Amino acid sequence: MSLFMSFFSAGTFVAWGSIAYSHGWVAITIQWTMCIGGLITGLYLAPKWKATGNLTAAEFIKERLGSAVQKCYIYVFMIVSVFLKGSVLYSVAKLVSESLDYPLIPVTIVLGILMIAYTAIGGLWAVMVTDILQFVVLTAAIVIVIPLVFREVGGVESFLDKVPDDFFNVVNGEYTWGFILAFALYHIFYIGGNWTFVQRYTSVDTPRSASKVAYLFAALYIASPILWMIPPMVYKAINPDLTGLATETAYIMVCKQVLPAGLLGLMLTGMYFSTSASANTALNVVSAVFTNDIYKGTLNPQASEKKLMFIARASSWFFGFFMIIVALIVPLIGGIVEFTLSIGAITGGPLLAPPIWALFSKRLTGKATVYITAVSLSVNLLFKIIFPLLINSKLSRANEMLLGVVLPFVLLVCVELYAKSRGKISAEYLALKQTKAARKEAVQQIDIEEQMALKNQNKFGLKMIAFSLTFIALLLYVLCFFFADRSPLVGGIATVILISSLIPWRASNRVIIH
């Protein structure tokens, strides 16, 4: 569930909601490609990541492809992650700004600072707890919104009569079958190789459990996009006049129209939770990579634990402020849809495909990896930025995405076939085999005190989730008194959440501390 919510954010409502309002069902088709990515990851990639014995993707890259490759990837990955999470921050700031009629810039800054502080103080457990809670809050809010928007438009038949004829086409506009294919390939790389998500596969107990993580992600992405995209699609029938960047506000505008203040606050809270979880996860990973792999690994190998904790929190603030700056410039670049898809097309394949290939290949070398990444990034930047400026010509959305994912894949195949024809096994792969053999023979010393501390932390985290779910249920019960006409629906959802709180509470009692 944490993987699912880390992938999910307010950008889902702003970016895909904008497409759902403008083009209809194709927004759901686009998100179903994420289900395909999760399924392929569960079958092949997640168990492979767990089997490496590494906790992070950066650690695997260092052991398999060399420290030089790792450093190159670290620098690029940190920049790309902050850019992507800047777009996520922009999304939630846009929703809050639109719903409360506050200026966008100060809202962006305040929400960004709150996210950074939360990450610096809470760490990964705070992210996990937030993931669970915002999943519950958002699901509850969406289930409440759907019947209300249909009532607002006059029923399902009225909705179908008022939308364009092509509104339920599986592909529409610039989002063609070519784009869908490219986006599906991109999400195999992204879900299976993104450093943030890899930690979800490596932190479980077995490769089989890692597969289950990805399978649950895929299952949730079958039904969820339909539920998420119904409100902005219905709003097209209610108010068909939004154009340009105004379509990004379709979701929150329909919520403002059908929800009373308390339930609108619940929806905004869920959206902020989701964005916080996504941004916090990225900041945690970026901060951890900077602290362990750059500061401790290169700058100060003898740093104490106290010093490393200070550096981790300081780096969270540094990268967080950079994230805020990115969020402030998203409108200048063309909006959330253009920004998100462009970053994905340019960087997804070049950064994620080579490490995934290295999970299976004995022949890929560190030098070839750097060349493939550099060439792919350069070509993508050339077609995305340079050519449009020089000759006023650019690729279609589908061709842009296809180039981004197919080019590195083709280069990897060529390198693999060439090395196979020469009968070469990479020196880095042979070194990795020796490292694994030595690690297997080493006696693992279990620190009893640390083990007890971890169990205490797990017990506390589970109880915190149970308490928070109970609080959310009670809050919904209170809202029932203010909105009598909606109390059966809200009360029913509150009861489900209250019963669900027993699951983590019972699990916490099974955590035995000796």
Side-chain angles (χ1 to χ4, degrees):
M1 194 172 289
S2 179
L3 171 67
F4 176 72
M5 298 315 299
S6 297
F7 192 82
F8 173 84
S9 72
T12 301
F13 299 108
V14 176
W16 309 134
S18 172
I19 296 174
Y21 175 88
S22 302
H23 300 287
W25 189 269
V26 69
I28 297 171
T29 306
I30 292 171
Q31 292 177 81
W32 275 344
T33 64
M34 303 165 194
C35 173
I36 296 172
L39 183 62
I40 298 299
T41 298
L43 286 171
Y44 303 108
L45 304 181
K48 201 73 175 179
W49 278 115
K50 177 59 184 176
T52 63
N54 302 119
L55 184 60
T56 67
E59 184 182 338
F60 167 75
I61 291 171
K62 182 177 181 180
E63 289 190 356
R64 172 62 183 84
L65 298 169
S67 58
V69 177
Q70 183 208 37
K71 288 179 181 178
C72 291
Y73 267 68
I74 283 173
Y75 296 135
V76 179
F77 172 80
M78 288 193 299
I79 295 171
V80 172
S81 292
V82 173
F83 267 90
L84 286 173
K85 297 315 166 185
S87 69
V88 167
L89 173 59
Y90 164 79
S91 299
V92 75
K94 182 92 172 181
L95 293 173
V96 174
S97 173
E98 182 67 28
S99 61
L100 301 180
D101 296 321
Y102 288 163
L104 180 60
I105 292 178
V107 167
T108 304
I109 294 172
V110 171
L111 293 181
I113 290 174
L114 289 174
M115 285 182 189
I116 303 166
Y118 185 77
T119 304
I121 295 170
L124 189 58
W125 243 117
V127 173
M128 293 291 188
V129 173
T130 303
D131 285 338
I132 303 298
L133 300 185
Q134 56 97 357
F135 174 80
V136 172
V137 171
L138 266 182
T139 302
I142 290 166
V143 171
I144 292 170
V145 166
I146 290 174
L148 298 181
V149 296
F150 277 117
R151 187 172 70 177
E152 185 74 13
V153 78
V156 176
E157 289 187 9
S158 176
F159 162 59
L160 296 176
D161 290 339
K162 293 178 180 179
V163 295
D165 294 336
D166 62 354
F167 208 59
F168 288 92
N169 289 355
V170 179
V171 294
N172 200 346
E174 63 182 338
Y175 305 104
T176 62
W177 280 117
F179 173 84
I180 298 301
L181 173 62
F183 214 49
L185 292 172
Y186 165 75
H187 277 111
I188 293 173
F189 295 153
Y190 190 69
I191 298 168
N194 182 281
W195 291 14
T196 301
F197 305 151
V198 166
Q199 282 190 300
R200 300 297 187 268
Y201 313 135
T202 60
S203 61
V204 295
D205 53 353
T206 64
R208 186 179 179 186
S209 295
S211 291
K212 289 181 180 179
V213 172
Y215 289 149
L216 178 58
F217 173 92
L220 290 171
Y221 253 104
I222 294 175
S224 295
I226 300 175
L227 298 176
W228 295 334
M229 295 301 106
I230 285 176
M233 289 172 67
V234 175
Y235 193 62
K236 182 74 171 182
I238 299 173
N239 177 14
D241 299 327
L242 298 183
T243 58
L245 294 182
T247 60
E248 294 179 349
T249 64
Y251 207 106
I252 200 63
M253 289 180 73
V254 72
C255 291
K256 285 179 68 176
Q257 189 158 331
V258 303
L259 291 177
L263 292 177
L264 179 61
L266 179 70
M267 172 67 81
L268 284 174
T269 301
M271 290 180 177
Y272 181 71
F273 268 158
S274 68
T275 306
S276 296
S278 179
N280 290 345
T281 300
L283 285 177
N284 262 305
V285 173
V286 170
S287 173
V289 168
F290 177 83
T291 303
N292 294 315
D293 298 303
I294 295 180
Y295 183 78
K296 184 179 180 180
T298 304
L299 301 178
N300 188 4
Q302 306 302 319
S304 64
E305 288 297 320
K306 185 176 181 181
K307 183 70 173 179
L308 291 176
M309 183 57 69
F310 171 79
I311 294 298
R313 287 177 173 162
S315 61
S316 292
W317 282 99
F318 174 79
F319 291 114
F321 281 120
F322 186 25
M323 177 184 72
I324 294 174
I325 293 171
V326 171
L328 294 174
I329 65 174
V330 167
L332 306 177
I333 299 174
I336 185 65
V337 175
E338 175 67 26
F339 185 88
T340 302
L341 294 181
S342 296
I343 292 292
I346 292 171
T347 65
L351 290 178
L352 302 176
I356 291 176
W357 193 276
L359 286 171
F360 302 90
S361 173
K362 300 177 182 180
R363 297 178 172 86
L364 184 64
T365 65
K367 188 175 182 180
T369 300
V370 172
Y371 284 150
I372 290 169
T373 300
V375 169
S376 302
L377 281 174
S378 300
V379 171
N380 289 343
L381 288 169
L382 190 68
F383 279 94
K384 179 62 185 179
I385 299 175
I386 307 301
F387 281 174
L389 291 176
L390 294 180
I391 60 176
N392 195 28
S393 176
K394 66 176 185 177
L395 298 175
S396 66
R397 181 75 74 194
N399 289 336
E400 176 183 284
M401 188 62 68
L402 277 170
L403 176 66
V405 296
V406 171
L407 177 59
F409 181 77
V410 170
L411 293 176
L412 285 164
V413 170
C414 292
V415 168
E416 185 77 15
L417 293 176
Y418 175 76
K420 187 175 181 180
S421 68
R422 302 288 296 273
K424 289 185 175 180
I425 303 294
S426 73
E428 294 93 340
Y429 177 78
L430 297 174
L432 175 64
K433 289 186 68 175
Q434 294 179 349
T435 301
K436 282 190 172 182
R439 185 186 298 152
K440 191 174 182 179
E441 292 178 2
V443 178
Q444 298 294 321
Q445 297 295 330
I446 299 176
D447 188 327
I448 302 300
E449 185 177 343
E450 182 180 0
Q451 191 178 42
M452 289 182 63
L454 289 172
K455 287 185 177 182
N456 273 308
Q457 190 180 55
N458 290 343
K459 191 178 183 74
F460 175 77
L462 289 166
K463 286 188 174 181
M464 192 67 197
I465 293 172
F467 168 80
S468 300
L469 290 176
T470 303
F471 180 79
I472 292 170
L474 295 176
L475 187 63
L476 287 173
Y477 282 131
V478 171
L479 289 176
C480 290
F481 291 102
F482 294 94
F483 315 118
D485 59 330
R486 300 171 178 86
S487 58
L489 177 63
V490 178
I493 293 171
T495 301
V496 172
I497 294 174
L498 185 60
I499 295 172
S500 299
S501 67
L502 295 174
I503 298 172
W505 179 261
R506 292 181 65 187
S508 71
N509 291 329
R510 289 197 299 267
V511 177
I512 300 172
I513 302 172
H514 297 288

